[in-house]
Structures are given as C-alpha cells and as structure tokens.
Amino acid sequence: MTPSTISRHMVAWAQAAPMALVFLAFFLVPLALVVMVSFWDYNDYAMIPTFSGRGYTESFEGCLTRLPEACTMLKTYGQTLKFCAMVWAITLVVGFTVAYFLAFHVKSVTWQIALSLVCTIPFWTSNVIRMIAWIPLLGRNGLINKTLVGLHIVDKPIEWLLYSQFSVVLALVHLFTFFMVIPIFNSMIRIDKSLIEAAYDAGASGWQTLWTVIVPLCKPGIVIGSIFVVTIVMGDFVTIGVMGGQQIASAGKVVETHLNALQFPVAAANAVILLGVTLMIIAAMSKLVDVRKEL
C-alpha cells in the first residue's frame, strides 16, 4: 500500500472511530451483559453468577411435554406477533396512502415539506400523553359512547372500545404510523415521474400503474418502515399495558413483569429471546430488498 492509501485509511478509521466507540459502549457492551446475565442462576433474593440455563428453561417450562396451546409463553409470543401483524398492516395502508398523497398530489415542494412537518406535530408531545388521550374518548362514559347512545345508535355503552385488543391496536397505529410514512415518502419522491407518464401512455390504468410501477419502486421504503414498526411494537409493553387494562399479555410485558419481581436472569433470558425473534423477522424483511442502497 502506498503512503497516500494508508493515509486515506487512517482518516477513514479516525472518522468512524467516535461512532464505533459509542456503538460499542452503549449497544454491544450492554447487550453482552444482558446475554451473560441471562445464563446466571438466581433465587428469591439475588442473582447467582454461576452458569445456568434456568432462565430459558423456566420461560418455556412445559412447552415440550404439553400441547402447544397449553404453553403460556408460546401463546404470549403468538399474541405479540398478532398485534405486530395487525399494526404493521394498518400502518402500511395508512402510511402508503399519506405518502402517496404527499408525493403525487401535492405539487409544490414547499407544501410537501410543510405537510410533512405537520405529520411530526404529534411527536411534540410524549407518547404516554398521546396514548392516554384515547381513554376519555373510548371509555364507557367517554365521548364516543355518549354520542352513540345519544343518537340511539346503540342502547348501552360499548364495552370493547377500551381496555381491549381493539384499543391496543388503535393506540399503536396512532403512535407509530409516522414511522411508516416517512420512509415510503422518501422512496416515492425519488421516482422519476416520466415512468408514470410512460405507464399511462402505454394504456395502464391507475391501479396497474400503482402495482407495477410505484409499489415496486417503493419497496425499500416499505421495508424500512416495516422494520421500524415491527421493532417498536415487538418490544412495547407500556401501550399494551395501559390500553389493555393490564389484562393483555405480550413479550415485552413478560420482561417487565420479571424485572419488577427482581428476577433479572429470567428477564434477561426473555429479552434475548425477544431480540432473537425480532432479528429473524427483520432478516426475513431485509431479504426482500437491499436496504443499504436506500440508506
């Protein structure tokens, strides 16, 4: 290697070193500690720093000897995946629609930027505040039930509007749709408008143009938005706990419960399992498109 090449490599390493150190200190090291603690033993009072797989075996205790339906942990992960799939599907439809409107129906770049900033307004407040704002609307004596009863649409308040799977999905969609809008919008504004005009000139209908031109070119944005939404929903426990009335289980809720009980090894084991499941989902999504080109 020539001196100039060595110099360029040294500059590149020097530029990458600060971020690499931050990544090492605040991600890799804590993750390694969590994995290490997940293999420790424990009792009712303390952690015991000896190698043990008890945290993993107790999490899925009985799953191998009983029917899968009787395994509480598998049912919990199944419910978490169901929430994740429902929220993903709804945020994808809503996010794609909003992004499509901004990219193709708003002609002015100024208005595109302005409306994109409007989408960020809910993020000016805490997630918790935006979440609990649904309670006065969805409650038994909330605005929606009072309106429905007052208009004689229903005879009595609807119970399942709050503290149910419906309210959990509604709150999660409200909180995280923005994470789907921006990546898709970023992909859409890069589409060459002449391709769409060519599709119309070739006789393609609006739906044909959408499915054969726009959606394939937006695939990177869809995948990135999906990764954001899936990652957040898989680990969420606050929204599910509050909007589910502390009656709905989730993988993140299991970790929180063990942490509150000071059972750190089993909490760490469940966190590692949750991370593994989430990484498998992300890996499957990443196979659909080269995300690095979009970034």
Side-chain angles (χ1 to χ4, degrees):
M1 297 177 67
T2 63
S4 60
T5 304
I6 296 175
S7 177
R8 285 198 299 270
H9 279 291
M10 292 180 62
V11 170
W13 278 106
Q15 292 174 337
M19 182 58 69
L21 290 175
V22 170
F23 184 74
L24 176 67
F26 295 101
F27 180 75
L28 293 181
V29 172
L31 180 60
L33 291 174
V34 170
V35 174
M36 180 182 68
V37 171
S38 71
F39 287 100
W40 283 5
D41 200 358
Y42 65 97
N43 54 31
D44 294 336
Y45 310 102
M47 297 185 294
I48 304 173
T50 58
F51 182 83
S52 171
R54 183 182 171 192
Y56 293 92
T57 56
E58 288 194 352
S59 296
F60 292 92
E61 185 177 6
C63 291
L64 298 178
T65 58
R66 293 182 291 177
L67 294 175
E69 301 84 39
C71 179
T72 303
M73 186 59 65
L74 288 180
K75 290 170 66 176
T76 300
Y77 271 89
Q79 181 156 272
T80 303
L81 291 172
K82 182 181 73 172
F83 281 138
C84 191
M86 293 172 66
V87 173
W88 169 79
I90 297 172
T91 55
L92 177 59
V93 172
V94 175
F96 190 93
T97 303
V98 173
Y100 184 88
F101 173 78
L102 292 175
F104 297 110
H105 290 277
V106 179
K107 304 301 181 182
S108 170
V109 176
T110 302
W111 275 105
Q112 286 180 341
I113 296 173
L115 293 175
S116 298
L117 292 175
V118 169
C119 293
T120 68
I121 289 178
F123 285 82
W124 296 359
T125 59
S126 167
N127 275 12
V128 176
I129 294 175
R130 288 186 288 142
M131 174 181 58
I132 64 177
W134 285 103
I135 295 178
L137 292 175
L138 302 176
R140 178 179 176 84
N141 297 315
L143 179 62
I144 293 177
N145 269 319
K146 285 186 177 180
T147 302
L148 293 175
V149 173
L151 295 175
H152 303 289
I153 297 176
V154 296
D155 297 328
K156 58 182 181 179
I158 301 173
E159 301 288 347
W160 53 262
L161 288 180
L162 186 60
Y163 303 138
S164 62
Q165 294 187 12
F166 168 80
S167 60
V168 169
V169 173
L170 179 64
L172 290 172
V173 170
H174 173 220
L175 292 175
F176 305 131
T177 297
F178 178 78
F179 292 97
M180 190 71 80
V181 173
I182 296 304
I184 297 177
F185 173 68
N186 188 45
S187 293
M188 283 186 177
I189 59 175
R190 299 183 184 184
I191 296 177
D192 189 348
K193 301 301 188 293
S194 62
L195 296 176
I196 300 175
E197 295 176 0
Y200 283 124
D201 292 341
S205 63
W207 282 106
Q208 289 174 326
T209 303
L210 177 66
W211 287 110
T212 60
V213 178
I214 297 176
V215 171
L217 293 175
C218 289
K219 192 180 293 184
I222 293 173
V223 171
I224 293 174
S226 299
I227 290 174
F228 285 154
V229 172
V230 168
T231 302
I232 298 172
V233 174
M234 283 294 290
D236 186 278
F237 62 90
V238 176
T239 306
I240 294 176
V242 173
M243 300 305 292
Q246 306 298 336
Q247 301 173 10
I248 298 177
S250 70
K253 194 71 178 172
V254 171
V255 177
E256 183 209 18
T257 300
H258 287 300
L259 286 175
N260 291 337
L262 302 181
Q263 298 175 339
F264 297 116
V266 69
N270 279 277
V272 171
I273 295 170
L274 177 60
L275 176 62
V277 173
T278 304
L279 288 178
M280 286 191 292
I281 297 174
I282 294 174
M285 291 182 177
S286 299
K287 293 291 184 181
L288 300 175
V289 67
D290 188 355
V291 177
R292 290 175 297 178
K293 290 183 179 180
E294 183 72 5
L295 297 176

